[in-house]
């Protein structure tokens, strides 16, 4: 498995997303609330971050009422929790880089819990900046090869502004600048090309190959971080073999 496929693809292959839909909804609601507050508007047409968050929620089939309540909490129309944004960086087994985003109403609790998870699972929480430089913020769309002809995908994506269309095993990966993500995704939607995932994410510039016990430990560390209530998203440059991912399902 390519390290460029990120932790979200590993979760997809492990079937973790469906098993933890409640936690996914909680994280999406946090993001919608903060996006509405930080963007100064509950209108998705004038608030790009909110628009992206709402699209992500709809992709997970979140009910419309839940989305609207989250927006109103962010704009102050309904009483809500004030979340603080932070990022944390560190290393996992084998020296793999880990970058995570947090939204929390208690920063002291968040950092204590995150440090505990790193220590317990064979990782090491580092200083800010220790691994952030290894990642680039990009739009990312993952499509199975059997779903589309390469030439058709290439034409659709590049014409809409994608930076690259590349192969990763059984999938195609469409890479965009963050500001071009929505236009490229819309073009792919309009072409009726199905995809496994579509998001603005942090892609690693290089990968760290993990095998055996280190790969298994890394998956357990990433799962524990992903389960933390104060963690929104987790990214890694770990390259984990397909057979190890499958064996841990």
């Amino acid at each position: 498995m390519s390290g460029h496929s990120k932790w979200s693809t590993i979760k997809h292959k492990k079937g973790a997303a469906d098993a933890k839909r409640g936690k996914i909804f909680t994280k999406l609601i946090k993001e919608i609330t903060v996006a509405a507050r930080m963007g100064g508007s509950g209108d998705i047409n004038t608030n790009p971050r909110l628009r992206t968050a709402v699209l992500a929620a709809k992709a997970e089939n979140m009910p419309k009422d839940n989305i609207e309540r989250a927006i109103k909490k962010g704009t102050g129309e309904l009483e809500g929790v004030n979340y603080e944004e932070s990022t944390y960086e560190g290393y996992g087994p084998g020296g793999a880089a880990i970058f995570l985003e947090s939204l929390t109403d208690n920063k002291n609790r968040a950092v204590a819990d995150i440090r505990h998870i790193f220590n317990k699972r064979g990782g090491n929480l580092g200083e800010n900046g220790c691994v952030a430089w290894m990642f680039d913020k990009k739009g990312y769309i993952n499509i199975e090869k059997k779903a589309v002809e390469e030439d058709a995908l290439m034409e659709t994506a590049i014409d809409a502004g994608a930076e690259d269309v590349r192969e990763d095993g059984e999938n195609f990966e469409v890479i965009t600048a963050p500001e071009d993500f929505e236009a490229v995704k819309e073009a792919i939607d309009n072409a009726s090309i199905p995809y496994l995932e579509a998001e603005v994410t942090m892609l690693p510039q290089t990968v760290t190959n993990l095998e055996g016990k280190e790969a298994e430990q890394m998956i357990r560390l990433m799962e524990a971080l992903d389960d933390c209530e104060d963690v929104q998203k987790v990214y890694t440059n770990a390259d984990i073999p397909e057979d190890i991912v499958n064996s841990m399902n």
Side-chain angles (χ1 to χ4, degrees), residues 10-190:
I10 295 176
K11 286 193 297 180
H12 178 84
K13 288 182 177 291
K14 285 175 61 58
D18 288 339
K20 299 175 181 177
R21 185 162 299 275
K23 288 188 177 182
I24 292 172
F25 276 16
T26 298
K27 293 184 179 188
L28 288 167
I29 286 170
K30 276 187 182 182
E31 173 61 20
I32 291 170
T33 301
V34 170
R37 174 169 58 87
M38 298 291 289
S41 168
D43 183 357
I44 62 173
N45 295 312
T46 59
N47 186 336
R49 178 173 174 178
L50 178 60
R51 182 164 62 248
T52 299
V54 169
L55 286 173
K58 288 180 177 178
E60 292 291 344
N61 297 314
M62 181 182 288
K64 184 179 179 181
D65 288 349
N66 294 36
I67 295 173
E68 290 178 349
R69 278 198 302 273
I71 292 173
K72 288 179 179 179
K73 286 180 180 180
T75 58
E77 295 174 69
L78 293 176
E79 185 176 352
V81 178
N82 187 24
Y83 295 111
E84 185 176 358
E85 294 184 281
S86 299
T87 60
Y88 298 93
E89 304 169 43
Y91 300 92
I98 298 173
F99 182 88
L100 59 90
E101 299 171 353
S102 168
L103 285 178
T104 180
D105 59 348
N106 187 328
K107 196 170 181 179
N108 290 333
R109 178 193 67 212
V111 68
D113 287 350
I114 290 168
R115 178 174 282 109
H116 174 73
I117 293 169
F118 268 96
N119 292 340
K120 184 178 180 181
R121 298 290 182 178
N124 179 37
L125 183 63
E127 298 293 328
N128 283 347
C130 66
V131 303
W133 59 273
M134 301 182 190
F135 295 84
D136 294 317
K137 190 172 186 178
K138 296 288 183 181
Y140 176 88
I141 304 173
N142 190 14
I143 300 166
E144 289 183 298
K145 285 184 177 179
K146 63 184 180 182
V148 63
E149 292 293 330
E150 182 176 8
D151 289 346
L153 175 61
M154 185 81 70
E155 182 177 357
T156 299
I158 298 299
D159 284 353
E163 293 181 351
D164 193 15
V165 177
R166 63 197 187 195
E167 294 186 47
D168 175 28
E170 298 177 355
N171 299 341
F172 292 120
E173 297 178 323
V174 178
I175 311 299
T176 80
E179 60 271 19
D180 295 327
F181 170 72
E182 287 186 37
V184 176
K185 179 179 176 294
E186 183 178 3
I188 290 174
D189 284 335
N190 290 341

Side-chain angles (χ1 to χ4, degrees), residues 3 6-7 10 96-99 135 204 218 222 234-238:
K6 316 173 312 324
W7 171 238
I10 295 176
I98 298 173
F99 182 88
F135 295 84
M218 185 66 179
M222 297 294 286
V234 188
Y235 311 102
T236 182
N237 73 341

